[in-house]
Amino acid sequence: MSAVVIVGAQWGDEGKGKVVDLYTERADWVIRYGGGPNAGHTLVVGDEKIVVRLLPSGILREGTRCVLGQGMVIDPAVLLSEIDELVRRGRNGIEKRLLISDRAHLILPYHITIDCLREAKAAACNALGTTKKGIGPTYEDKARRTGIRTGDLRDPVRLRERIALAIEAWAPTIVALGGEVPEIDAILKPLLELAERIVPLLSSVSLIVDKALRDGAHVVFEGAQGTLLDIDHGTYPFVTSSSAVSGGAAIGVGVGPNRIRNIIGITKAYTTRVGAGPFPTELDDADGIHLREVGAEFGSVTGRPRRTGWLDLPALRYAARVDGIDGLAITKLDVLTGMQRLRICVAYDTPAGRTDDFPIDDMEVPGRITPVYHDMNGWNETLCNARRLDSLPGKARAYLDFISEQTGIPLYLVSVGPKRDETVMLHNPLI
Ligand code: IMP
């Protein structure tokens, strides 16, 4: 048995799609455990670029079964259009390899309306910069016990009752935001049509995954978003609404935490963030523009330009602690090629003195903390042909060694380009 969690160690967009796709070469199962279509995992196979939002990144591997766990929020229309798009591109048998938890929550049109109305109302001053996919309101419904679960699709009478209850609960909010309260049938009718294709995919995921693990299967739990966007451990309130940390895998699938054998943390060789919130190593100069343009740092779900900055080691140490990271996958090292001087944040000056921990609470007050940087020399060589560490330029190796030494975490993988083979694979816990 081998159960591995692959988790984003930053504010999301670390390149999880490629890394999960690589590690699932030997996986029997790949499982999403949290979040929803706010994720956008990019896979590059040959010359083809595929972005999956709800489907696990293992979906392209024909021998891999894919699961959407109950920690997720699922927009049924998005899910089916994602499946149809893959079929249109010649990928078959998707629905035969896909299981959906019957306890995952559904994103319905009113969740999206509320998310959009709220963001519009908050405007520039205190908008969170959400992905406007209805994520927050759906998790709110879950916590308020007015959510609609995938399993409710099996029973149209109960479904109508549940939708009526949810609309009643949301009506004052929708009215206060200047929106229109939807009719029950306007939600129910199209949903029942989608249900015909969703219901056959539903099952008791906890039972099935636990059995697979007992039978010795290789299982990858695919994180979404990132540690610093986690509802409990992220830079609150500028976070998403789910448990994005590695521990979310046990909760979001329904297996014991002791089943997880290895945790891989993914970090870019620098840092990005979309949406509002603290980002202490953010750049607004030519280096920041280099990272955005060379790294093509535009959101895969929203197309928004990502904010860019230097690598933040205290943040990585923090992620290593809250996720229990065993090995690092460092992505987009090639994007640093051509930068003369590279800076890495190694510590913070705070009102209480210098710390190498991530001063997450001090970040709520602007200007209270200052990053302390270690400067390193850059390199000009192209990296995309490297397949071993010793074929990287010495300065790139020094950069990687510094990250590993400073965090005390071994390197498992270094990505030197978007394609599958543009990778230095150092360790695969699934072998
Ligand atoms: P929500 O998840 O759409 O509610 O957005 C909350 C915050 O999380 C916003 O700052 C989003 O930009 C951010 N966010 C959500 N999902 C992702 C992701 O997959 N990558 C990066 N940022 C994300």
Side-chain angles (χ1 to χ4, degrees), residues 11-13 16 38-41 115 128-133 135-136 224-225 229 238-241 273-276 304:
W11 279 288
D13 307 318
K16 288 182 285 294
N38 47 349
H41 295 169
D115 198 0
L128 286 177
T130 75
T131 58
K132 298 185 185 160
K133 302 294 174 199
I135 306 296
Q225 289 74 55
L229 287 173
F238 300 98
V239 292
T240 189
S241 313
R273 172 164 206 171
V274 279
R304 289 179 288 180

Side-chain angles (χ1 to χ4, degrees), residues 6 36 50 78 188 296 310 323:
I6 300 183
I50 298 175
V78 172
L188 185 65
W310 298 119
D323 289 312

